């Protein structure tokens, strides 16, 4: 289908191996390949930014999120990569797992591992952070391209010494 024929809730087969569903006007879920969180933005979020948990919206079951802070020390707050741009106070989707498509990945090359930038809030970098900076692996560049870029999102928050199961810190 052309993109304008993919309304929210419509399900279609891509002709290959994937069933798809229109999640929002800007996001298509590849059924059983992608995992998303529906969030309310507590700050402006740009598609492709790494986002962090900032709170909840009462008993609604919806969490709030904003671009992950630079120099984050507790990666447990990371919820994923913005699957679409979300205005502050609006609702949208954050991707925790799967292939995020259609944004600028031209700063990297195919196969680059991506991390949370220790310098710029919510930004990704292909430069591995060095201790004491916290290392959050976000995923890998599948296709480096200015418009049709793709990354495979597989967030790994890493571990602090006191988070290991066989270590006691006093």
């Amino acid at each position: 289908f052309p993109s304008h024929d993919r309304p929210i809730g419509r399900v279609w087969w891509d002709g290959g191996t994937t069933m798809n569903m229109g999640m929002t006007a800007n996001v298509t879920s590849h059924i059983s390949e992608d995992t998303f969180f529906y969030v309310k933005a507590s700050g402006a979020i740009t598609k492709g930014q790494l986002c962090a948990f900032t709170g909840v919206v009462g008993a609604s079951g919806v969490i709030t999120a904003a671009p992950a802070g630079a120099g984050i020390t507790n990666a447990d707050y990371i919820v994923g990569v913005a699957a679409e741009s979300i205005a502050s106070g609006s609702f949208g989707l954050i991707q925790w797992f799967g292939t995020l498509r259609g944004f600028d990945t031209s700063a990297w090359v195919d196969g680059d591992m991506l991390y949370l930038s220790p310098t710029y809030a919510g930004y990704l970098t292909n430069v591995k952070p060095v201790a004491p900076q916290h290392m959050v692996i976000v995923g890998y560049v599948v296709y480096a391209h200015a418009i049709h870029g793709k990354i495979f999102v597989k967030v790994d928050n890493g571990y602090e010494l006191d988070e290991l199961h066989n270590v006691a810190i006093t």
Side-chain angles (χ1 to χ4, degrees), residues 17 19 21 27-28 64 111 119 128 146 149 169:
T17 60
M19 287 295 293
M21 182 173 66
V27 177
T28 297
T64 60
T119 311
K128 185 176 182 177
I169 302 294

Side-chain angles (χ1 to χ4, degrees), residues 2-170:
S3 61
H4 64 277
D5 289 339
R6 300 177 184 175
I8 297 169
R10 184 161 188 178
V11 176
W12 68 95
W13 177 48
D14 70 1
T17 60
T18 305
M19 287 295 293
N20 302 281
M21 182 173 66
M23 298 289 287
T24 69
N26 304 310
V27 177
T28 297
S29 174
H30 305 88
I31 298 172
S32 78
E33 296 177 11
D34 298 324
T35 304
F36 297 94
F37 289 101
Y38 184 66
V39 303
K40 183 174 183 180
S42 56
I45 298 172
T46 302
K47 183 175 183 173
Q49 281 189 308
L50 191 61
C51 297
F53 169 85
T54 59
V56 296
V57 182
S60 69
V62 176
I63 65 171
T64 60
I72 193 167
T73 57
N74 187 343
D76 292 340
Y77 288 101
I78 300 297
V79 292
V81 180
E84 60 187 333
S85 293
I86 311 167
S88 184
S90 295
F91 291 88
L93 294 170
I94 305 296
Q95 189 160 2
W96 173 256
F97 183 85
T99 303
L100 178 60
R101 298 162 170 86
F103 73 107
D104 187 0
T105 59
S106 62
W108 310 301
V109 298
D110 296 357
D112 272 356
M113 184 177 288
L114 298 176
Y115 307 89
L116 166 65
S117 169
T119 311
Y120 302 103
Y123 282 83
L124 306 177
T125 181
N126 63 345
V127 178
K128 185 176 182 177
V130 178
Q133 297 168 331
H134 192 84
M135 182 177 66
V136 177
I137 299 170
V138 177
Y140 310 89
V141 177
V142 174
Y143 180 49
H145 191 276
I147 299 168
H148 305 292
K150 299 178 190 177
I151 64 170
F152 179 72
V153 178
K154 182 184 176 291
V155 179
D156 181 353
N157 289 330
Y159 302 94
E160 308 294 334
L161 277 178
D162 61 352
E163 294 173 333
L164 298 176
H165 298 279
N166 61 349
V167 176
I169 302 294
T170 55

